[in-house]
Amino acid sequence: MSLVEDFLTLEQEQQIVAAIRRAEKTTSGEIRVHIEKHTDKDVLERAAEVFHWLKMDNTIQRNGVLIYVAVEDHRFAICGDKGINEIVNNDFWEDTKNTMATQFKKGDFTQGLIDGILLAGEQLQHYFPWDHGDTNELADEISKG
């Protein structure tokens, strides 16, 4: 098996998807996680490519968030869409990144992802609250490359 396949167990993946669904109950924002082995690019540049590849820039409010992890490189990034970036401070994702990094440094990648997802949801609800007409525009499952 590859590093990507071994990174999370099926049970851990289910816990992360459950966190995405929980976070999205409070915001119209869309959160996804993408895991891949390695990138030769700057991690934020690669996250932006994956964001586009996953069509996360096609949400109505342009409020998608991607948490990207390059397993072999021990690097990750958080990429928000135009609708988010136009209204939040430049350091909007710093708390989320720091929260995740704390768990990652302990080797607890599952908890780091869950904590990051839930905190992202909390932050997004201030700008993009959930609405009764809100629909889930993007898949909640973890994508892998």
Side-chain angles (χ1 to χ4, degrees), residues 16-136:
I16 292 165
V17 170
I20 291 169
R21 291 180 177 146
R22 184 170 148 205
E24 289 182 356
K25 285 184 178 184
T26 63
T27 178
S28 63
E30 296 287 335
I31 302 169
R32 294 214 53 193
V33 173
H34 181 82
I35 300 169
E36 62 187 18
K37 180 180 175 183
H38 166 75
T39 182
D40 290 324
K41 299 181 179 186
D42 172 79
V43 70
L44 195 53
E45 180 183 339
R46 178 62 183 146
E49 284 180 357
V50 171
F51 190 95
H52 181 70
W53 177 71
L54 292 173
K55 300 188 183 333
M56 293 186 65
D57 47 2
N58 291 341
T59 62
I60 293 170
Q61 293 185 302
R62 301 292 303 265
N63 59 354
V65 175
L66 176 66
I67 298 175
Y68 168 87
V69 180
V71 177
E72 187 177 90
D73 304 328
H74 302 279
R75 302 195 58 215
F76 74 100
I78 302 171
C79 182
D81 203 353
K82 181 180 178 180
I84 297 169
N85 294 337
E86 287 179 344
I87 61 173
V88 301
N89 297 329
N90 289 339
D91 63 349
F92 182 72
W93 296 115
E94 289 305 308
D95 286 343
T96 304
K97 289 186 339 192
N98 292 337
T99 297
M100 293 174 64
T102 298
Q103 294 296 337
F104 286 0
K105 287 176 185 172
K106 296 178 191 176
D108 195 343
F109 301 106
T110 304
Q111 194 60 52
L113 288 167
I114 290 170
D115 290 352
I117 290 162
L118 295 177
L119 185 54
E122 287 175 24
Q123 291 174 318
L124 285 173
Q125 73 180 336
H126 299 292
Y127 300 95
F128 300 96
W130 184 84
D131 181 17
H132 289 288
D134 186 45
T135 59
N136 192 10

